[in-house]
Amino acid sequence: MNIARHIALIEELCFRPFTAEHDASGVEEGGPGYHVVVLESSQGDCGARAATVEQYEKDRDALYDRLASRWGETAPCNLQTTLLRTEQEEIPEPWAWLSARARVAYLWEAEGTGRWVVVVVVDREQAHDVQLLAVVTETAPP
């Protein structure tokens, strides 16, 4: 993992204009009010899934340390609660999408940008790759 590269990309997303409609192109996707970027991906190596999840959680924690020194320490956000709420209420994107794919998120309000930065490990769906994602959104967490 290249932390410096990931931090630079996250900083860039804090200022990049959002697309008007959902757009998925390669390792990046976005929609009205959010960007999603794949920082790391298991790329089909499901045989070592548990080890990959563990490594990506360590990578997420390393990113947390760097981002917390910039925007402050935050408690992890339990996305299971958000997922349960999707059954009863309309949860805005990208939060509904994230809660269906990840269990825990670290998030910050990026000072001076009006945007939220989220770092997650996507591992809920056994049939899909494990991924380390960064999300930048103008929508506050629900």
Side-chain angles (χ1 to χ4, degrees), residues 51-107:
T52 301
V53 169
E54 184 177 332
Q55 181 58 53
Y56 287 177
E57 287 174 344
K58 288 178 183 176
D59 294 346
R60 178 201 60 205
D61 294 349
L63 284 168
Y64 171 83
D65 291 341
R66 292 285 296 274
L67 294 171
S69 69
R70 175 169 301 162
W71 293 315
E73 292 187 18
T74 63
C77 174
N78 181 351
L79 293 175
Q80 178 67 29
T81 305
T82 306
L83 180 62
L84 293 171
R85 289 175 53 199
T86 62
E87 298 173 11
Q88 304 283 324
E89 62 186 281
E90 187 73 26
I91 300 295
E93 295 302 345
W95 300 103
W97 182 86
L98 276 173
S99 69
R101 287 160 182 80
R103 300 170 202 285
V104 175
Y106 286 111
L107 57 114

Side-chain angles (χ1 to χ4, degrees), residues 27-41:
V27 296
E28 292 187 34
E29 68 178 80
Y34 67 93
H35 298 292
V36 178
V37 65
V38 177
L39 302 175
E40 304 287 337
S41 181

